[in-house]
Amino acid sequence: MALQDVCQWQALDPQGASPHLPQAGAWAVPRGWDPQTFLQTHGPRLAHGTTTLAFRFRDGVIAAADTRSSCGNYVACPASRKVIPVHQHLLGTTSGTSADCTTWYRVLRRELRLRELREGQLPSVAGAAKLLSGMMSRYRGLDLCVATALCGWDRSGPALFYVYSDGTLLQGDIFSVGSGSPYAYGVLDRGYRYDMSTQEAYALARRAVAHATHRDAYSGGSVDLFHVRESGWEHVSRNDAWVLYSELQKLSGLEKEGEEEATSERAGPGGEPSVGPAPGDLRMPSEMKRL
């Protein structure tokens, strides 16, 4: 009995695939050998957006963000967390591709832990921002999408840095990142003061994100609020964005009604403002009329 009858072996088809390696110059290269070209040709082009903000004031750093993760017209997750803790005195807002942001924050957390073990202390917020900027800058041009605001407290006090995936590194007092950032900046620029109280800072952050979620289709869900103090960071609250916006609108309506009532009280019987002495003017009203 032949061997092929026992093992059911068949000879290779000479016209089919060859078990031998191809000649030099005839290698079958996979499509992903050039990542930049592959991503430009086959990579997904899905619109995504968010609203994140952070600002520094006298009692620390406030970080706030919405919780909607979008992928084109699809809401992938309505309750994601876009403010990621790094260690007890450092956290960051995330905007961009969720996978990229999560991966690079894991890398940053690992590198900071290794430095703490080698040097006996954690790097400053500026050192952490510079480290993240340097690591991501090596991947410039590969469609990496990470935009983050690092919020922390170190030996120099509260600190805030903006880092982008192309290596951009900025220091400032106010940053807002994402598709809803123009709306958030409008609220922040009007109400921000460095010497505001803690409750005023909470209210400002909530109001800025809530208004942005109302105007930006890619932002929504809830409003996460974090506060970085000298003792460490804390998660202050998570409020439904629509409920928060509705409450703000009611408060705004009550304030307008109060202003209108105050204006009508100051007006005279005919609806015209009553004439009285100017501040510091000691003359009687009758003397003013003769003038």
Side-chain angles (χ1 to χ4, degrees), residues 3-268:
L3 180 62
Q4 58 266 28
D5 296 332
V6 175
C7 302
Q8 297 181 354
W9 176 84
Q10 294 181 357
L12 295 175
D13 184 6
Q15 303 297 327
S18 173
H20 302 289
L21 294 176
Q23 299 295 325
W27 290 94
V29 180
R31 291 188 299 174
W33 72 276
D34 183 2
Q36 185 173 0
T37 305
F38 177 79
L39 289 173
Q40 291 176 353
T41 307
H42 303 282
R45 293 288 180 247
L46 297 176
H48 54 273
T50 184
T51 300
T52 64
L53 62 88
F55 58 86
R56 191 170 66 100
F57 73 117
R58 66 180 185 182
D59 292 328
V61 184
I62 297 295
D66 73 309
T67 61
R68 175 180 292 176
S69 293
S70 55
C71 185
N73 296 327
Y74 174 68
V75 178
C77 180
S80 61
R81 175 161 289 187
K82 300 180 183 180
V83 181
I84 301 179
V86 180
H87 57 71
Q88 184 181 1
H89 291 83
L90 181 66
L91 50 79
T93 65
T94 58
S95 178
T97 305
S98 298
D100 291 341
C101 294
T102 303
T103 300
W104 280 104
Y105 265 94
R106 287 178 181 173
V107 174
L108 178 63
R109 192 181 295 118
R110 180 196 66 197
E111 293 296 325
L112 293 179
R113 176 59 177 159
L114 290 174
R115 286 202 176 189
E116 181 184 15
L117 293 174
R118 286 194 298 261
E119 302 172 4
Q121 63 180 5
L122 285 167
S124 63
V125 181
K130 187 175 181 180
L131 175 63
L132 181 61
S133 172
M135 291 189 298
M136 291 196 299
S137 65
R138 296 195 292 262
Y139 295 86
R140 183 182 304 168
L142 297 181
D143 275 5
L144 184 66
C145 186
V146 179
T148 178
L150 284 173
C151 319
W153 192 301
D154 53 23
R155 292 175 294 275
S156 62
L160 178 61
F161 290 86
Y162 168 77
V163 183
Y164 188 60
S165 49
D166 63 356
T168 301
L169 175 61
L170 301 173
Q171 182 179 11
D173 290 333
I174 305 176
F175 289 114
S176 182
V177 188
S179 57
S181 59
Y183 311 108
Y185 268 127
V187 178
L188 290 173
D189 290 340
R190 181 178 181 181
Y192 173 77
R193 300 190 327 272
Y194 184 81
D195 60 345
M196 68 176 62
S197 65
T198 301
Q199 294 303 320
E200 288 175 336
Y202 291 171
L204 177 62
R206 291 191 185 104
R207 186 165 65 251
V209 178
H211 279 275
T213 58
H214 180 68
R215 294 295 180 184
D216 179 38
Y218 295 105
S219 302
S222 302
V223 179
D224 267 340
L225 182 63
F226 287 77
H227 185 185
V228 184
R229 304 174 184 268
E230 187 176 4
S231 57
W233 63 266
E234 66 169 318
H235 185 201
V236 179
S237 64
R238 169 174 282 196
N239 303 101
D240 184 270
W242 173 248
V243 173
L244 188 58
Y245 179 79
S246 301
E247 292 176 353
L248 291 173
Q249 291 298 101
K250 291 179 181 178
L251 290 175
S252 177
L254 293 175
E255 290 177 358
K256 289 181 179 178
E257 290 179 2
E259 292 177 358
E260 292 176 357
E261 290 178 0
T263 304
S264 61
E265 289 177 358
R266 289 195 300 267

